[in-house]
Amino acid sequence: MTDPLHTPHDRAAIPLAPSLDQSLVDAHMPTRLPLLGTRVLYIGVLAILLGLVVGVVAKLLTMLIGLITNLAFHQTWSTAFGRPAGHHLGAWVIVVPVAGGLVVGAMARWGSRAIRGHGIPEAMEQVLTNESRIPARMTWLKPLSSAVAIGTGGPFGAEGPIIATGGALGSLLGQRLPVTADERKTLLAAGAAAGMAAIFSAPVSAVLLSIELLLFERRARSLLPVALAAATGTGVRFALEGPGPVFPMPALAAVAPQALVVYALLGMVMGVAGVFITRLAYGIEDAFEKLPIHWMWWPALGGLVVGAVGYVMPGTLGVGYENITDVISGHLGIMAMALLAVAKLLSWSVALGSGTSGGTLAPLFTIGGALGGVCGWALAAWPPLHVDPHMAALIGMAALFAGASRALMTSAVFVFETTMQPHALLPLLAACTTAYLVSGLMMRHTIMTEKIARRGVHVPTDFGVVP
């Protein structure tokens, strides 16, 4: 007689006393968990030291970008992290990004071609194909070339170069010490996480970025050192810059249920936008590949477009972190945000496609925030929806990056950490999830993986238990 309280499904479940069940052995699951071991402690200490170094390097990189920016646009000697807008160059401003592109092209040709691009795909490739071995020269070539590109008006963020530089420093440390390939990968990811944390004061999202885009695993032996490095990098930023959100904004209220549905739908729109932007960026790169001139001249041609757009809209030049603050704080009107989104997209996609050196995070957050803000102001015209344009701008920031990169948790947590808005967590998670869903249905690869996938590198997308 069958016991009605115990179905066949129950018999296949994990038993109350796991040590007594043969199914655990068949599933290759250990009956006793091992201790971590002293190697984790050793790599963790190295990660802390690496975080200290990368935190200082991040500060030096921002100072170098500030110096080049002030020299190029204002003819002043200052390392203050200024903005190109407000210059008195007139139409001559178009020449500045072209000059920067010429320097970056020369550095790429006679230094290392690997400095081209935004750094994360290149780091992923080294992790997947070269046992996380990044050439030592990248520790200075990448930040220097990026500082030149951004300082002369390139529409990139400082975070991409410092993430790449931190990863290169971690890889170099792993090559100089007797460590395994897995431990070298952990140090590379730790350096990258420390760089992102030192720029944005976002240690948790820095760890998540490393897991989702570099480690391709979540195990204590790699998670703990990466977390220690990210915490250390953030501590260095606090010591040098002080605490507080990187993108301050007015406090947001709790989200109404009907608004949560709207934000989830907005995430789907941003997922489509992420697919479009990814295809646009690589389509432009393919167009440059067809030009009958050497690739070292491409960044100068991209700089010509950057300069022309910057002449019309000076706010598109340079890092543009202040644009993000203006968008989420409601300092820009709906038309200004629409123009910013279009102009920044044109400038950044052409510059990135030309093969210059710079990051993708800040441009995507700027474009996504502006698009989300436009949608938010339009939807706010229907009071029953309870849509807050400031919240919509945050949704746009995170969801566009989630759709383009599929770094789902990184996107949601990053916007929370950089704005310190606790009521945004739920709509951020909903919107980033729907953006990821749409992107996964429409696009095989992401803005981070398309380049190396074209070279035949297989990028894992799922984590699972390895027997």
Side-chain angles (χ1 to χ4, degrees):
M1 180 176 179
T2 303
D3 185 352
L5 298 179
H6 295 82
T7 64
H9 175 73
D10 294 326
R11 299 189 192 102
I14 294 179
L16 183 62
S19 61
L20 302 178
D21 197 275
Q22 181 64 29
S23 61
L24 293 181
V25 178
D26 297 336
H28 305 283
M29 296 179 66
T31 57
R32 296 182 63 186
L33 294 177
L35 296 174
L36 284 177
T38 57
R39 292 295 296 182
V40 176
L41 180 61
Y42 172 63
I43 300 300
V45 172
L46 293 179
I48 292 174
L49 297 175
L50 182 62
L52 290 171
V53 173
V54 174
V56 174
V57 170
K59 176 62 176 178
L60 294 175
L61 177 61
T62 58
M63 292 174 64
L64 180 59
I65 292 173
L67 177 62
I68 297 175
T69 300
N70 288 313
L71 286 174
F73 291 96
H74 306 294
Q75 296 76 56
T76 59
W77 185 273
S78 173
T79 58
F81 201 56
R83 53 195 298 181
H87 63 80
H88 301 286
L89 298 176
W92 285 103
V93 72
I94 300 175
V95 178
V96 177
V98 175
L102 289 172
V103 174
V104 172
M107 292 180 68
R109 181 170 184 178
W110 289 292
S112 173
R113 188 170 180 173
I115 66 172
R116 304 169 72 230
H118 48 99
I120 295 180
E122 290 74 19
M124 294 171 71
E125 184 175 19
Q126 296 304 314
V127 167
L128 294 169
T129 65
N130 196 30
E131 295 188 334
S132 305
R133 299 179 185 274
I134 297 177
R137 62 182 180 274
M138 292 299 294
T139 59
W140 62 271
L141 273 175
K142 185 62 178 181
L144 182 58
S145 62
S146 298
V148 171
I150 299 170
T152 54
F156 305 105
E159 70 289 333
I162 192 56
I163 289 173
T165 302
L169 287 170
S171 173
L172 180 63
L173 181 63
Q175 293 175 65
R176 295 292 185 266
L177 297 175
V179 299
T180 66
D182 282 336
E183 290 170 338
R184 190 182 308 114
K185 178 180 69 172
T186 298
L187 289 173
L188 185 155
M196 180 175 175
I199 291 292
F200 286 125
S201 296
V204 179
S205 55
V207 174
L208 292 172
L209 180 78
S210 295
I211 293 173
E212 292 183 306
L213 297 182
L214 292 173
L215 287 173
F216 307 110
E217 66 175 20
R218 199 217 67 82
R219 290 191 281 184
R221 70 178 191 184
S222 55
L223 177 62
L224 297 180
V226 170
L228 289 171
T232 305
T234 305
V236 173
R237 177 182 171 85
F238 281 3
L240 298 177
E241 304 284 348
V246 176
F247 305 125
M249 64 178 296
L252 297 173
V255 177
Q258 57 269 44
L260 182 61
V261 175
V262 175
Y263 296 142
L265 294 175
L266 180 58
M268 298 179 69
V269 174
M270 291 300 156
V272 175
V275 173
F276 168 76
I277 288 174
T278 300
R279 291 175 176 170
L280 174 66
Y282 283 100
I284 292 174
E285 184 175 305
D286 292 339
F288 272 99
E289 293 280 354
K290 298 176 182 178
L291 292 177
I293 58 175
H294 194 278
W295 56 259
M296 73 167 287
W297 304 108
W298 299 351
L301 293 178
L304 187 63
V305 175
V306 171
V309 174
Y311 175 63
V312 178
M313 288 197 65
T316 60
L317 295 169
V319 172
Y321 291 152
E322 67 280 350
N323 292 329
I324 298 176
T325 302
D326 289 342
V327 166
I328 62 178
S329 300
H331 296 160
L332 299 180
I334 187 169
M335 185 56 67
M337 287 190 291
L339 291 174
L340 174 64
V342 173
K344 189 75 173 183
L345 175 59
L346 173 62
S347 178
W348 166 77
S349 58
V350 172
L352 186 68
S354 71
T356 192
S357 181
T360 59
L361 276 74
L364 287 177
F365 289 134
T366 301
I367 297 166
L371 290 175
V374 169
C375 294
W377 282 110
L379 293 170
W382 286 273
L385 297 178
H386 294 283
V387 170
D388 185 345
H390 304 89
M391 183 73 79
L394 290 186
I395 295 299
M397 282 177 59
L400 182 66
F401 186 72
S405 69
R406 294 193 200 139
L408 189 157
M409 299 305 298
T410 300
S411 305
V413 175
F414 173 86
V415 172
F416 163 71
E417 287 189 296
T418 54
T419 61
M420 293 299 178
Q421 298 292 333
H423 291 304
L425 271 175
L426 178 59
L428 283 172
L429 181 61
C432 289
T433 302
T434 56
Y436 186 113
L437 177 63
V438 170
S439 173
L441 292 172
M442 296 180 63
M443 183 170 62
R444 293 184 182 276
H445 303 291
T446 72
I447 199 166
M448 301 297 181
T449 62
E450 175 69 24
K451 179 178 292 186
I452 58 177
R454 292 181 176 190
R455 299 172 186 163
V457 178
H458 171 69
V459 182
T461 58
D462 298 305
F463 301 148
V465 177
V466 179

